[in-house]
Structures are given as structure tokens and as C-alpha cells.
Amino acid sequence: MKRTLVKFLLAAWLLPLAALAGDPAFNGRWRLDPARSTALDGWHKMDLVIALDGTKVALTYDMLWIKSRVVATNTADTARPVEQKHFFRVEQRHMAVYPAKGGVTRLTAEWLDRGRTLRTEAFTPVEVSQGDVVMRVTSEYRVGETGDILTLIELHSTRNRPLVYVFTKVPAEAAKN
């Protein structure tokens, strides 16, 4: 009886910790499937590299336009909000919505669906023609059941329609190139 109680208490304690962890399938390089995604206007290639490290999640965007390459990382923490000086947004290249000078983005993150969905919410200061405002960007990164498809859905407080990007997992050998 005592042993059963100890197992139950241990499981009850570990279950919430497991809920904080993301599915390991998130780790790695993901390549945009343009045919199934929102247009990338201003870019012709996008890879997303995800690295899980405890409660931290590094989201690295590797963007290409002709010969111009931009690599930028947003790091979220599912245990606490973080502040980031240089928050990267995919659409910032051509939307006339620029990062505000000296602005700091507040970013929160949480795991949903037993670690199969990462939801982030960013409050990022931006400069628009009417002045500086704070834009809210809510993103959901959803890994598919088989672990080879990732869907990113972004909702912006400045848009009525979501941006949807579908990625396929890049095999480890191909990611080295």
C-alpha cells in the first residue's frame, strides 16, 4: 500500500513537469513548403531551425532573397516571460511596419496539446506611419502526428487574416548543406 502511494505521488508530481516539455520532434531544421503556405513576399526561401533546451526554445529563421540572407533567432522560455531587443518577424521586410528604435519585445510561451503545440505571444513595439504602437503577435507552432510536418499559424493585431506557413522536416544529412 505504501509503495503504491509513493508511486502515485511521484506520478502526480512528474505529470505537471512533463506538460512543460515540448515534443522532441520539434528539434531540427524545417523547410518551408511554399505551395501550402502564405506567400513570403520579399523572400524566396525560409528555413526554421528549432532547438529545445529545457524550458527554453530557440526559433531561428534562416531567410533568403536572391543572394541576401538573414538569420535571426527569437528565444522563448515556457517557464517565464522574456524580453528581447531584436525580435524578428517574417513579414517585417516589406510591410512598412518596422521595429521601433530601442524597442523591447515581451515574449511568453507555453506548451499545449501534451507538448505538440508551442504557443507564443509577443508584444513588440513597431513604427508605423502614424507613430509607434505595440503589435501583438500570437503564434502556434504545431508538429504533426508523424513528426515530419510543422505548421506555423501567426495572428497579428494589425491584420484580419492569419499567416500560415507549412514546413517539412529536413533530414539531418541534408541540413548540413
Side-chain angles (χ1 to χ4, degrees):
M1 177 73 173
K2 187 176 182 180
R3 197 174 259 176
T4 304
L5 180 60
V6 169
K7 286 181 181 177
F8 173 76
L9 291 174
L10 184 60
W13 181 73
L14 290 176
L15 185 61
L17 291 179
L20 295 176
D23 188 317
F26 274 97
N27 278 310
R29 180 173 288 269
W30 299 86
R31 182 142 304 140
L32 183 73
D33 180 343
R36 299 192 301 174
S37 302
T38 299
L40 265 183
D41 301 336
W43 303 101
H44 74 266
K45 183 178 176 187
M46 174 169 65
D47 280 3
L48 177 61
V49 181
I50 301 177
L52 306 180
D53 183 14
T55 60
K56 293 185 179 173
V57 182
L59 303 161
T60 300
Y61 297 87
D62 189 347
M63 312 291 291
L64 191 62
W65 179 70
I66 304 176
K67 291 185 181 182
S68 298
R69 184 175 180 199
V70 173
V71 178
T73 302
N74 295 333
T75 302
D77 192 330
T78 58
R80 62 178 181 77
V82 296
E83 291 185 347
Q84 190 167 332
K85 278 191 172 187
H86 303 287
F87 182 76
F88 180 77
R89 293 177 294 111
V90 171
E91 93 299 342
Q92 71 190 24
R93 181 179 174 92
H94 73 286
M95 293 300 298
V97 178
Y98 305 102
K101 291 172 183 60
V104 175
T105 297
R106 184 173 189 273
L107 182 62
T108 61
E110 66 179 320
W111 290 110
L112 305 171
D113 308 325
R114 296 178 311 264
R116 306 232 11 120
T117 300
L118 174 68
R119 179 173 44 203
T120 64
E121 189 162 45
F123 294 89
T124 188
V126 295
E127 182 181 309
V128 295
S129 59
Q130 296 84 7
D132 289 354
V133 297
V134 174
M135 180 171 70
R136 181 177 43 81
V137 180
T138 303
S139 302
E140 284 196 10
Y141 302 80
R142 299 177 181 177
V143 70
E145 288 295 320
T146 58
D148 60 345
I149 300 290
L150 178 83
T151 304
L152 167 56
I153 303 166
E154 287 189 357
L155 298 168
H156 296 209
S157 60
T158 56
R159 298 173 158 257
N160 290 330
R161 293 180 161 217
L163 301 171
V164 179
Y165 303 109
V166 178
F167 297 85
T168 55
K169 188 81 168 245
V170 176
E173 286 301 312
K176 294 176 185 175
N177 298 328

